[in-house]
Amino acid sequence: MVDVRWLESFEIGVRAIDDDHRDLVEKIQAIVVAVEDERLDICPSLISSFLDAIRDHFSREEKILEKIGYPNIKNHVLEHGKLLYQADELRKMAGRASDKAQLQCFLNELVAFLLGDILHADVDFKSYIQEERSF
């Protein structure tokens, strides 16, 4: 079973972004529980909710970075685009999954996706955004 938990070390220091990240972790946990309980019928809805939340999060984050004049925003937006493409591919994979084992494989990819955003893409602006505090 995939075990995803929120850790303080994930925090960026901006409430809106951190709240989004916590929500995304909770959404993945809901998918994990559904797969473990073999409630595969509700997985498409849970996955769609997760992907909608990702899109909203990226939009909100990009607006914050633009507002504070983050100098590497173009690269960050490009990274978001790559992650959204990956998320759509994962959605397609989940749509083809017909059993618990296939969905667990999907979950591993989904967790890697989320951690890729939180731990890699967002760490790039963490210190800059904490210093800025003008928003």
Side-chain angles (χ1 to χ4, degrees):
M1 178 168 116
V2 176
D3 186 23
V4 181
R5 295 176 194 259
W6 179 259
L7 302 174
E8 279 188 39
S9 62
F10 294 166
E11 290 186 7
I12 299 299
V14 176
R15 176 176 231 111
I17 293 172
D18 291 335
D19 288 350
D20 281 354
H21 288 164
R22 281 187 200 90
D23 180 57
L24 294 169
V25 168
E26 288 175 14
K27 288 184 183 320
I28 286 181
Q29 275 304 109
I31 299 168
V32 168
V33 169
V35 171
E36 284 301 310
D37 292 346
E38 297 191 33
R39 297 277 325 274
L40 306 184
D41 58 317
I42 65 170
C43 287
S45 172
L46 295 172
I47 292 164
S48 289
S49 176
F50 174 81
L51 294 177
D52 289 344
I54 281 287
R55 285 183 192 91
D56 290 346
H57 164 64
F58 285 169
S59 176
R60 191 169 12 267
E61 187 176 275
E62 289 167 8
K63 287 176 184 168
I64 290 170
L65 294 178
E66 186 176 328
K67 183 176 182 178
I68 65 168
Y70 179 58
N72 201 20
I73 191 169
K74 287 182 182 178
N75 287 335
H76 198 77
V77 170
L78 287 173
E79 183 67 24
H80 282 172
K82 291 176 191 174
L83 288 169
L84 286 172
Y85 174 81
Q86 182 184 7
D88 191 51
E89 292 300 307
L90 290 172
R91 181 192 55 77
K92 291 174 189 173
M93 185 173 95
R96 293 187 299 267
S98 59
D99 64 28
K100 183 177 175 176
Q102 288 177 325
L103 276 171
Q104 284 175 324
C105 198
F106 163 78
L107 282 171
N108 290 335
E109 294 294 323
L110 199 60
V111 169
F113 167 85
L114 180 61
L115 293 178
D117 175 54
I118 294 173
L119 296 179
H120 297 289
D122 290 0
V123 163
D124 288 343
F125 70 78
K126 182 177 181 176
S127 61
Y128 183 86
I129 206 167
Q130 288 177 342
E131 289 174 14
E132 193 55 36
R133 295 288 180 198
S134 65
F135 50 96

